[in-house]
Amino acid sequence: MHKAGIKMLLLAATYLACCVYAQASEQVITVGASLSSEKMEFEFKQAVNALNRRHLKSRILFNSTTILMDSNPIRSALDICDKLLAQHVYTVVASHPNSTDHSPISVSYTCGYYNIPVVGISARDSAFSDVNVHKMFLRTVPPFAHQADVWLELLVNLTWHKVIFVYSADEEGRSVLSRFQTLAEEHNIRIEPSVKYAPGEKNYTSVLAPILKHTSRVILLSASTEDAEVIYRDADVLGMTGEGWAWIVSEQAFDAYNIPVGFLGVHLVNGTNEVNHIKDAVQVIGHAFWSLLDTENISNPPTECKDIDSWTDGEKVYNELIKTQLNGETGQVSFNSEGDRLNPMYDIMNINGNRRSMSVGLYGHQEKVLGLRMMGRNITWPGNTQEKPKGEKISRNLTIVTLKEKPFVEVLPMPKDGVCRPVAPAVHAFLCKNASQDNCCMGYCMDMLARIAEKVKFNFTIHLSKDGLFGSFEKHNGSDKKYWNGMMGELMTKEADLIVAPLTINPERANDIDFTKPFKYQGLNILVRKTQKDSSLASFLQSFQDTLWILVGLSVHVVALVLYLLDRFSPFGRFKLAKSDDTEEDALNLSSAMWFSWGVLLNSGIGEGTPRSFSARVLGMVWAGFAMIIVASYTANLAAFLVLDRPEALISGIDDPRLRNPNKKFKYATVKGSATEMYFKRQVELSTMYRNMDKQKKYYTAEDAIEDIRIGELQAFIWDSPRLEYEAASDCDLTTAGDLFGRSGLGIGLPKNSPWTHEVSMAVLDMHESGFMEQLDNRWILVDSKSSCPESNSAPATLGLTNMAGVFMMVAGGIVAGVLLIFIEIAYKRHRGLKEKELELARNAADRWRGNIEKRRTLRQTLQKQREEQMRTNSISKQPASNTSLPMAPNANTAVASAPSLDSNNTNTITPSYRRLSLLEATTKSDCLPPPPPSDYRPPGYVPARSGRTVTWHNPSHNPDNVV
């Protein structure tokens, strides 16, 4: 037993020696704490021990020392000096006194003097954010002033942009107001009035009553619980807690026992859980020292309050604490430069109809998402209603401003009976005043306004813009200050509640007014007058260039000449078949070759001779192929030319060189002070065009510019595409050029933060989804019932008289030429006919004479035979008598008797039979002359008879054998 006891003592001594050696090699960091209760002291020590267990291999050992917070600040400061600083504390965790709301201000002052960092776990006073006073203070809870962040997110989520801020006239109230004002400027939320009250009063009716005169119905309240109870009582008496009102209150004010139904408030998650904040504070301290001591060493802190010098390394420790970030028991723990907790979690609380508080949302950093998340829309509002207040006291009788802009707004004179009636395609027509004159307004926007008013449930009156302008922000009338004119100016000066017109949404306007969702998307386009191509009489010849026409005409005659030469000099060119009746007149002559060449080219058939030789026929086939290609090319090119030969725009679009670098004769413009002008002014690459337009004539309405386009005073007008498309559809002489550019939307304008913006926007979206906007487009923008244009731009081109006038003129010229030639031919034929008649008469006379001569010749031959016979007879008669018995020739006496009649002058002279009469002798005889015509003789009619290529005149009554 004795030996065993000695062994145990040796082991204990060895363990103590190891511990002493280990402690000698480690740096001990003592963390002090001033806490509210002994339970919190126990939790603090457990958190420090857990910190050591988490990093066993670390050379840093954390030690803890605690005191209880005293409600007396002086005693609390003394305890810090005597009990905490004496333990060499490197940092202090501070809570608030038990069962009190006193802040640990004495701890912050005392430790701050010696540069010892203090980590607050419950102090939410905004005063601790002042680094000049509390330079070494940081906290794991956010100050009350940070509730303004949550309020702002709620206002944005609920689309309220005008509020009334009620705050206490103390440092806490001023801090909340200051932070909210800074944040509100970034989100265009305006504080209509800020109402300050003195805390601790028994009645606040006089403070709350002026609120009733303002239009805003959203109240932000920063007050303590005691003051909030009095404010709720007085506000209820004034009727400010009922339907139509909205209240968002601070955490302290939300704890009032008499908080009305429907109020909203915020509540810090784990804000009162001191245990969790102690754990997070210890974790922050541990991470800071581990990080700091890995890189450098720090000196020891002061040990008593008698020391005059502060801790030189205290600021290093404080800066390392500020930089620390971790996920702790209360969420993500991080700090800003003032030492305030960042990204805390807040519950959005609501008092329901049972007067119980319930969470309706969450704000803070959760799962890497920072922001507001509303859990459903089951919020109860003041007056125990589920309908969200509009946030403003608004009248449902709205004033609408518009201007004349077809087809969106058309202004017609008021009928004599004073009742506005819609004119098709309009569905609605409303009274609209122009100064003292009453008019009727209808159109795209008026039909849309009627549907919006029906959905949103408001009444309205309409008036036209005083100066007829959309609105531009510039200096006017020599003033040095810029301001909006036109409809924008009237909206800014609250002369109108809405702008219902084709108002383009652009950054300049959106900076000063609100726009609904676009009711129509559009762009900019260019309106020009159509340039009709002048079709000349020779337009059908434009398919080929002049050079090609000359070459084709020359080729016809060259080919004809070559065909003639080939056929003439070819040995087979005049070859005839043995039994062919063809004569050499059928061979190809130069005239036939010419007609052949033209006939092949014009595909008119071959009516003349064709080549006979093989060489000429080969050339003819090649010429036929050439003619086929030429004719087909001409036909195709003519069709293409006619398709493209349509009225065209003068320019190709916004990038046309005539717009970028115009000459003096080319003028283009837009409406002065319009969104289109702002677009050109805003775009750097279009600045040259803006300067050119600024030098030209100023147009203040689209109607004036469009009229100048019609009469040719203006070459191009740049404006919104719907209006230009409408004008182009209504006037056939106008057209749009190029593609759309500068795309934007048309919206309804409202004052900044108007309570109607959301509802009107939702109505516009609903009309888009239901197809109502498409109906308006078809009725007003895309309508072409007024258009009398014969064709649209997408229709194929058709032939007209202007295109083919030259062809008709060519036919007419051919007719005239034919008529002239027929007269020439008739005159020539008459002249030729007289000669033919004379020749025919001569020919007939010659034929008669020739017939008589033939008969006389026959007679002479007969007489000669008779004489020979007579002589033969006479010779026989001189022979022996036997010869006398021969018979005499018949008619011998007649012949002999008639023989002397051959010569009446010399009856005794007998012409010998062996001599032939001369022509003179024959023609001198009376029997050789034709007999005289009878008394009833008439010249025969001559009938032309065609024989082959020769025309003769034939007398059917003439018989050359009829000789008298």
Side-chain angles (χ1 to χ4, degrees):
M1 292 292 295
H2 180 69
K3 293 182 179 180
I6 294 174
K7 290 182 179 179
M8 291 296 295
L9 289 174
L10 290 174
L11 289 174
T14 304
Y15 176 77
L16 290 173
C18 291
C19 290
V20 170
Y21 176 79
Q23 290 181 355
S25 64
E26 292 179 346
Q27 183 172 355
V28 178
I29 302 296
T30 303
V31 181
S34 177
L35 301 173
S36 61
S37 64
E38 294 179 354
K39 179 181 179 182
M40 294 302 109
E41 288 181 315
F42 175 77
E43 294 292 342
F44 174 75
K45 292 179 180 180
Q46 291 295 322
V48 173
N49 293 333
L51 194 65
N52 289 323
R53 288 194 300 271
R54 187 173 301 174
H55 295 83
L56 292 175
K57 296 181 181 181
S58 175
R59 66 183 184 90
I60 302 174
L61 178 64
F62 291 97
N63 193 12
S64 63
T65 180
T66 63
I67 62 173
L68 291 177
M69 175 69 72
D70 199 315
S71 59
N72 189 323
I74 297 177
R75 287 198 298 268
S76 177
L78 292 174
D79 290 341
I80 295 295
C81 291
D82 298 337
K83 298 179 181 179
L84 291 183
L85 268 61
Q87 301 296 325
H88 294 84
V89 293
Y90 286 79
T91 185
V92 175
V93 177
S95 178
H96 60 78
N98 190 22
S99 303
T100 66
D101 291 332
H102 291 87
S103 61
I105 192 169
S106 58
V107 180
S108 176
Y109 283 152
T110 304
C111 294
Y113 180 81
Y114 293 101
N115 284 349
I116 298 176
V118 177
V119 181
I121 60 172
S122 58
R124 301 190 60 189
D125 301 53
S126 299
F128 287 103
S129 298
D130 189 353
V131 294
N132 294 320
V133 178
H134 303 276
K135 61 179 181 178
M136 303 300 291
F137 190 87
L138 69 158
R139 45 188 164 180
T140 60
V141 291
F144 287 121
H146 283 197
Q147 296 177 89
D149 300 21
V150 191
W151 292 353
L152 186 74
E153 291 295 330
L154 273 173
L155 294 174
V156 172
N157 182 269
L158 298 170
T159 64
W160 290 331
H161 299 277
K162 189 184 297 184
V163 299
I164 298 172
F165 200 100
V166 181
Y167 67 101
S168 61
D170 54 16
E171 186 175 2
E172 197 65 49
R174 290 191 298 269
S175 299
V176 176
L177 175 63
S178 177
R179 186 173 182 86
F180 181 82
Q181 287 175 329
T182 303
L183 298 173
E185 291 179 359
E186 301 175 1
H187 294 81
N188 295 321
I189 295 177
R190 183 162 58 93
I191 300 175
E192 193 171 38
S194 56
V195 180
K196 182 172 63 173
Y197 70 90
E201 297 289 336
K202 301 300 181 181
N203 189 293
Y204 292 110
T205 303
S206 59
V207 176
L208 299 176
I211 295 177
L212 297 172
K213 299 179 182 179
H214 297 281
T215 59
S216 177
R217 289 295 180 265
V218 178
I219 297 178
L220 302 182
L221 176 62
S222 174
S224 64
T225 305
E226 295 78 10
D227 291 339
E229 293 173 355
V230 180
I231 291 173
Y232 296 157
R233 182 199 64 194
D234 296 340
D236 185 62
V237 174
L238 294 173
M240 297 172 58
T241 61
E243 187 174 356
W245 291 84
W247 288 70
I248 301 177
V249 301
S250 61
E251 283 191 65
Q252 305 96 312
F254 194 81
D255 292 334
Y257 73 94
N258 61 340
I259 183 171
V261 174
F263 279 33
L264 289 175
V266 295
H267 177 72
L268 180 64
V269 177
N270 291 320
T272 58
N273 193 332
E274 194 170 351
V275 174
N276 288 341
H277 282 280
I278 289 174
K279 293 179 180 179
D280 287 348
V282 172
Q283 288 294 323
V284 168
I285 294 171
H287 281 76
F289 279 100
W290 286 327
S291 176
L292 181 63
L293 295 178
D294 281 343
T295 58
E296 57 182 304
N297 295 321
I298 58 175
S299 62
N300 294 324
T303 59
E304 58 183 6
C305 291
K306 294 179 181 181
D307 294 340
I308 300 175
D309 297 333
S310 60
W311 186 24
T312 56
D313 291 335
E315 291 185 0
K316 293 182 181 179
V317 176
Y318 177 80
N319 292 331
E320 196 66 34
L321 291 170
I322 292 292
K323 293 188 297 182
T324 302
Q325 295 184 4
L326 55 89
N327 291 321
E329 300 293 331
T330 60
Q332 187 190 58
V333 181
S334 60
F335 308 93
N336 61 14
S337 59
E338 288 82 19
D340 295 332
R341 170 75 176 268
L342 291 177
N343 306 325
M345 296 293 295
Y346 288 95
D347 274 327
I348 310 301
M349 307 301 294
N350 177 232
I351 302 298
N352 61 17
N354 298 325
R355 303 189 65 84
R356 293 181 179 178
S357 63
M358 59 178 294
S359 177
V360 294
L362 190 66
Y363 174 86
H365 193 284
Q366 186 178 27
E367 297 179 359
K368 299 182 180 181
V369 177
L370 176 64
L372 177 68
R373 295 171 295 280
M374 299 299 290
M375 297 180 292
R377 292 290 179 180
N378 55 340
I379 301 176
T380 304
W381 298 102
N384 198 14
T385 178
Q386 299 298 318
E387 183 178 356
K388 188 193 80 171
K390 294 186 180 299
E392 289 188 49
K393 181 182 68 175
I394 56 176
S395 172
R396 293 195 174 270
N397 296 317
L398 304 183
T399 301
I400 311 296
V401 61
T402 187
L403 51 66
K404 181 179 180 181
E405 182 72 11
K406 295 181 180 178
F408 294 96
V409 180
E410 296 187 9
V411 181
L412 301 178
M414 174 66 70
K416 294 181 179 180
D417 58 0
V419 178
C420 290
R421 297 179 180 86
V423 179
V427 178
H428 299 89
F430 301 110
L431 170 67
C432 54
K433 294 181 178 294
N434 184 11
S436 59
Q437 183 180 359
D438 291 343
N439 300 286
C440 291
C441 289
M442 60 191 71
Y444 184 105
C445 287
M446 297 298 103
D447 290 347
M448 179 183 67
L449 175 61
R451 178 61 70 90
I452 293 175
E454 179 183 353
K455 286 181 173 291
V456 184
K457 296 180 177 59
F458 62 78
N459 302 318
F460 58 86
T461 57
I462 305 175
H463 71 269
L464 299 175
S465 176
K466 296 177 182 178
D467 50 12
L469 301 177
F470 286 90
S472 59
F473 187 69
E474 55 189 22
K475 297 178 182 179
H476 299 281
N477 301 326
S479 174
D480 293 335
K481 185 178 180 181
K482 291 184 178 182
Y483 61 91
W484 288 100
N485 60 5
M487 295 187 296
M488 287 287 298
E490 295 186 36
L491 194 67
M492 296 289 290
T493 57
K494 299 183 179 181
E495 298 178 56
D497 299 311
L498 277 83
I499 298 176
V500 181
L503 186 66
T504 303
I505 302 173
N506 61 22
E508 293 84 356
R509 290 172 177 167
N511 189 48
D512 290 329
I513 68 171
D514 283 343
F515 281 99
T516 63
K517 299 297 182 182
F519 62 82
K520 182 168 182 60
Y521 292 93
Q522 50 107 50
L524 299 180
N525 211 334
I526 307 172
L527 183 71
V528 297
R529 185 179 177 85
K530 290 181 180 178
T531 55
Q532 184 73 39
K533 289 186 178 180
D534 296 331
S535 296
S536 62
L537 297 178
S539 61
F540 66 95
L541 299 176
Q542 295 180 3
S543 299
F544 290 166
Q545 293 182 355
D546 296 340
T547 304
L548 184 58
W549 281 120
I550 294 173
L551 291 176
V552 171
L554 184 63
S555 300
V556 173
H557 297 86
V558 171
V559 169
L561 179 61
V562 174
L563 284 174
Y564 167 71
L565 294 176
L566 291 175
D567 209 55
R568 183 174 183 81
F569 292 103
S570 174
F572 302 101
R574 296 180 178 225
F575 178 75
K576 305 291 188 298
L577 295 176
K579 297 183 180 181
S580 175
D581 295 333
D582 296 341
T583 65
E584 290 188 2
E585 297 294 332
D586 295 326
L588 186 69
N589 54 30
L590 184 60
S591 175
S592 298
M594 191 69 66
W595 285 109
F596 174 82
S597 181
W598 278 106
V600 170
L601 179 64
L602 301 179
N603 196 22
S604 60
I606 308 303
E608 296 294 331
T610 57
R612 297 298 185 117
S613 66
F614 181 75
S615 58
R617 288 183 176 182
V618 169
L619 177 59
M621 292 175 63
V622 174
W623 175 249
F626 170 84
M628 178 187 68
I629 295 173
I630 288 295
V631 171
S633 301
Y634 171 80
T635 304
N637 205 28
L638 179 64
F641 171 78
L642 292 175
V643 168
L644 298 176
D645 188 15
R646 63 169 69 254
E648 294 181 351
L650 184 64
I651 57 178
S652 60
I654 189 63
D655 295 323
D656 194 284
R658 280 167 288 187
L659 289 177
R660 300 301 179 119
N661 298 294
N663 54 36
K664 294 182 178 179
K665 296 182 179 179
F666 189 86
K667 300 177 182 178
Y668 58 92
T670 187
V671 175
K672 182 68 176 174
S674 63
T676 306
E677 186 188 49
M678 296 180 193
Y679 172 79
F680 280 93
K681 187 186 299 185
R682 188 168 58 247
Q683 300 295 325
V684 177
E685 65 274 13
L686 303 177
S687 58
T688 303
M689 295 181 61
Y690 171 74
R691 289 193 296 269
N692 288 328
M693 289 189 290
D694 195 48
K695 297 176 184 177
Q696 303 297 335
K697 176 183 176 182
K698 303 296 189 298
Y699 294 93
Y700 293 96
T701 62
E703 284 74 13
D704 295 340
I706 294 172
E707 185 60 30
D708 278 2
I709 288 287
R710 289 193 176 98
I711 63 178
E713 292 292 331
L714 189 65
Q715 279 67 49
F717 175 54
I718 305 173
W719 195 237
D720 296 334
S721 57
R723 174 66 188 277
L724 300 188
E725 291 171 1
Y726 173 80
E727 293 293 341
S730 303
D731 191 338
C732 300
D733 294 332
L734 303 179
T735 186
T736 55
D739 298 327
L740 296 183
F741 63 96
R743 297 182 181 272
S744 59
L746 302 179
I748 297 174
L750 302 97
K752 207 69 176 176
N753 304 323
S754 171
W756 295 102
T757 302
H758 177 71
E759 293 189 49
V760 176
S761 290
M762 295 306 296
V764 171
L765 290 177
D766 183 68
M767 287 188 290
H768 276 296
E769 294 175 357
S770 63
F772 180 77
M773 289 303 184
E774 185 178 358
Q775 296 176 14
L776 290 182
D777 287 342
N778 295 331
R779 190 188 309 161
W780 289 101
I781 306 298
L782 306 178
V783 62
D784 56 358
S785 59
K786 297 181 181 179
S787 176
S788 57
C789 300
E791 62 181 17
S792 62
N793 289 336
S794 60
T798 56
L799 298 181
L801 180 60
T802 56
N803 302 111
M804 304 304 292
V807 178
F808 287 95
M809 293 298 295
M810 184 177 67
V811 174
I815 294 174
V816 173
V819 172
L820 292 177
L821 288 175
I822 195 63
F823 282 115
I824 294 173
E825 287 179 352
I826 291 174
Y828 175 76
K829 188 59 182 177
R830 284 183 178 178
H831 176 71
R832 181 85 178 269
L834 293 176
K835 291 184 178 181
E836 290 287 341
K837 187 174 182 181
E838 292 176 357
L839 291 174
E840 184 68 22
L841 291 176
R843 191 179 296 108
N844 290 338
D847 289 342
R848 274 187 169 185
W849 175 77
R850 194 177 291 114
N852 290 336
I853 292 299
E854 188 67 28
K855 289 179 65 176
R856 183 61 181 165
R857 183 184 299 170
T858 303
L859 181 60
R860 283 198 304 270
Q861 291 176 357
T862 303
L863 291 177
Q864 183 65 26
K865 289 180 181 181
Q866 289 179 355
R867 290 191 189 101
E868 291 176 356
E869 185 67 29
Q870 184 65 34
M871 291 176 65
R872 192 183 304 111
T873 302
N874 292 336
S875 63
I876 294 174
S877 63
K878 292 178 181 182
Q879 292 179 2
S882 59
N883 294 334
T884 59
S885 61
L886 294 171
M888 296 181 64
N891 300 325
N893 296 330
T894 305
V896 174
S898 60
S901 65
L902 295 173
D903 191 359
S904 59
N905 296 329
N906 188 7
T907 57
N908 296 324
T909 303
I910 300 175
T911 304
S913 59
Y914 57 85
R915 189 176 68 87
R916 185 176 180 178
L917 294 177
S918 64
L919 178 61
L920 180 61
E921 291 175 341
T923 56
T924 56
K925 301 301 180 178
S926 59
D927 56 356
C928 291
L929 297 175
S935 58
D936 58 350
Y937 173 79
R938 290 183 298 178
Y942 291 92
V943 180
R946 184 180 299 273
S947 174
R949 294 193 182 96
T950 304
V951 178
T952 60
W953 293 89
H954 173 62
N955 185 359
S957 63
H958 174 68
N959 185 2
D961 298 331
N962 186 14
V963 180
V964 179

